[in-house]
Amino acid sequence: MAKTIENLSLLPTSSEAANHDAANGDSKSNTGTSDKLQLDEACKVPMGKVIVSLNRRYEDLKAAAHKAPKLSSPATGAGDPMPKDETSDLDKACNELKYLIDEFKKLQVYETNLSDPLVTIEKNVDDILGDLNANPDNVEWETTKDNLKVLRSNMTKVKAQLPLLHQTSSSTEARRLLATTSREEASKLPSPYQADGIFEKGSFFKEFQHRYETLGIREKLCLLCFAIFPENAEVSERLLRFWWEGERLRLTSESDTKTVNEILDEFVEPGFIQPVYKRSGSKGSCYKMHPIVRCLIVRLAKQANFFYYDSKGYPNMEFFKSKKICLVKSEGPSWWSKDVLAFKKAREQAQQGNDKKQAEAGTMTEEKKKQDQELEEQERQEVFFTKNARAFTKACKQAQQWKAKKQAEADIMTKEKKKQNQKLEEQERKEMEKTRGKLETKRIIYLENLQTLFNVSKQFPELPEELFSKMKNIKVLYLGRWERTAERHMEVEDVDFLKGLKNMNKLRFFSLHGISGIKKLPDSIGMLQNLRILDLKACHTLEELPKEVGLLKMLSYLDLSECYLLDWIPTDLSKLSKLKVLKGFVISSNSPCTLTHLTTLSELEKLSISIHNVKFSIKEEESIKYFSEFKSLTKLKIAWGAGGTKKSLDKAIHPEDKNKTSEASKLGPTAKVLEKYLKLPFLGSSKSVPEKGNVAVVATTAKAGQDKNGDNAKKQKSGAVVQSNVHANNKDQGGRSPKPVLQSELKLEKLDIRCYPDKEPPKWLVPKTLTRLKRLYFRGGEVSHIPVANRHEKWNVEILRLKYLINIKMDWKQVQKQFPELKLLEKVNCPQITFCPCDASGVWEVKQAGTKIRMDAQPS
């Protein structure tokens, strides 16, 4: 270290360096006045001398390296250039020296910045020593304590600025300071939604923008729809399909026939969105967007005026910013309040008026005090200097007169001020009313041109009726819940505001999904002549539909599913000639509308039924007439709820004794699982596993065909079910042959049966009747087997889902034999369906590429 100091002392000073420059001529005199000033400034601190000296040596070495190729080498002869390797080493030395100079400059700045804080610390220590030495016997510890606090604060600031090179990595104090500084720096990081230019300079943004520009105009608008949802939100394909249909973002012309799934796949390929996968690994029906991608999409949405967003990227309820607006959770008044448009301006004017009045009152008070003081001082002087009574009396009289005169003048001024203030208040009130009228007119015009209203996070979406009715040109009105889960409870206290629907002739998509408190829709629903989609899913308190729903001539999608109290549907529903999807249709003894009425819906493709009437049955062959009359029906779902089974009716007519164990308490473990997972009540068996004599086995053995005359058929014992693959040959106990299966053929491609109450499946549920069936779902219930008319028939089903079935008994070979075209099997809580090669999620499927699983493969 001593040698280093000696070497530094031998370095030339700034004056010597200047003389060295003069000796070398004027070749470096063109550096400019600014460089000289910087060098002079650098020399003010000790580190500056080192920098100047090294910089001079660097310039000399750089000049020598520049001339090196032209010099001769004694080893190689005259005129030969210096070897290339030696020239390269000289350049490397110049670069390393330049690096050292730059680092020294950083240290110089560091030394300069810390000089003042160190002087401050020195003064703090002197103050503390002065207090301790001034009076050692009587030290003012409070003052000393404050000084120590200031000293420690200043030292902490200096330690936080120390270079990491001079901190011990193993020091706890160093790690603590580093962590504190990191947290402080992290808190200062700008939000990606607020920092301008944070992405523009990167290659990611350029690539993203290029991919975005390749999309069509409608595809861009479809992609911008993801911007209003929170980060990592899972958005369902169903919601996007409805929204895009409502705003006509998806064309259905012959030139452009892209489906919603095709558009979403186009977004997935470049990485705009990501599909959400199920636990089984299969692709679900939801999509989400990466936070960084959402940040860029929000920027593009702002540019396109596609909803309004605040500085943090959240959608906002601000009016007048866009023709699309969101409902978000807020505290206090908002633009939707009855008088909120003038609230902000009136509050500012009132505040300004109060400040002005207070200032005037303060000025008047000060003037009055000053006048009173002058009067008092004058009276005191007059009394003091008056020596005779006559003069004193006269002076007092004059003082009183003068005081009365001043008081009268003050009273006059006060009255005039009051009149002026009253005039000002009246003017302000008139101006406020005028402003309120202008803003109210502006708000009405805005609402009349509004196109989309979407509820993002508002829990009570009850809007003022006088404002709700002004949205005459709105196309999408989404007041319900968009999340798949019901974590956000939504409710309205009064549905009178829905009477404003009568003015929304252009509304195409209306959703009240998940909103409680609605018992009946208003009659104004029938005025929506252009409505295509009506989403009433999970309106738990909805009890009936108005007959005016039959006036919705353009309606193509009606969702009434999960409306568990719905018990009355009008027959006018049969007038919806454009209806293609009807979900949640209720069959009840109180409801006048039946399946027969629905057969007039010639375009109906998808039907979901909830049965609450024990008299309704699909078990017999004749029940096929319910569905064979539908001309376009391809998807059918049937579910039995409370009151839809014989057990529930018997229980209502003959209630059990209080001392006896209820049927629900007898449910076995598997049936309790059904009761937990199924939203509809499960009326299962009292035993988790049926007895051996009560199990129906699909006929896959040779015994099924031994006796062609029917001798192999067994009598039913205590509810036992006969084998179903010999229906055509078996005879019942009375000796009469059962009615043959109807030859009618249904066009169903998907059949979903839930909570089926009987052990024997419907007699029309056979491959011969359902030749087009590709997807078959059974979920819950008492069904004991999947039937076939005879052992030669095979199902064309490709997807089979079996859940919570405790009575069906079959193995993997029987499944393969009965469903040779099977591509996917899902088996959940079916204890007697055995040896199936399903994964942990209960799913088996044929691999799409590479190694295709053989249909006769044995489970591993």
Side-chain angles (χ1 to χ4, degrees), residues 523-552:
D523 298 342
S524 58
I525 191 73
M527 304 296 291
L528 304 177
Q529 298 298 322
N530 204 33
L531 188 66
R532 262 69 171 177
I533 303 170
L534 179 58
D535 183 12
L536 302 176
K537 182 178 181 180
C539 291
H540 301 305
T541 56
L542 185 64
E543 297 179 359
E544 61 176 294
L545 286 181
K547 64 179 182 179
E548 286 75 13
V549 74
L551 300 176
L552 305 176

Side-chain angles (χ1 to χ4, degrees), residues 39-136:
L39 292 174
D40 294 339
E41 185 67 24
C43 293
K44 291 182 180 180
V45 292
M47 187 65 69
K49 298 179 181 180
V50 180
I51 295 175
V52 172
S53 178
L54 288 178
N55 194 59
R56 201 66 58 200
R57 299 297 188 272
Y58 167 73
E59 294 294 340
D60 294 341
L61 188 60
K62 186 177 180 181
H66 184 69
K67 298 178 182 179
K70 300 179 181 179
L71 297 177
S72 300
S73 175
T76 59
D80 294 336
M82 183 177 291
K84 184 177 180 180
D85 294 341
E86 296 183 17
T87 304
S88 178
D89 291 341
L90 191 58
D91 292 336
K92 289 181 180 178
C94 290
N95 294 334
E96 291 180 5
L97 186 58
K98 177 64 175 174
Y99 171 76
L100 288 177
I101 293 173
D102 293 340
E103 293 300 319
F104 270 111
K105 287 181 180 179
K106 295 178 182 179
L107 292 176
Q108 179 188 3
V109 176
Y110 166 70
E111 180 181 2
T112 304
N113 294 339
L114 284 184
S115 58
D116 293 339
L118 290 174
V119 172
T120 303
I121 291 175
E122 184 179 1
K123 291 181 181 180
N124 295 146
V125 176
D126 291 340
D127 292 341
I128 295 173
L129 291 176
D131 294 339
L132 295 176
N133 296 330
N135 190 1

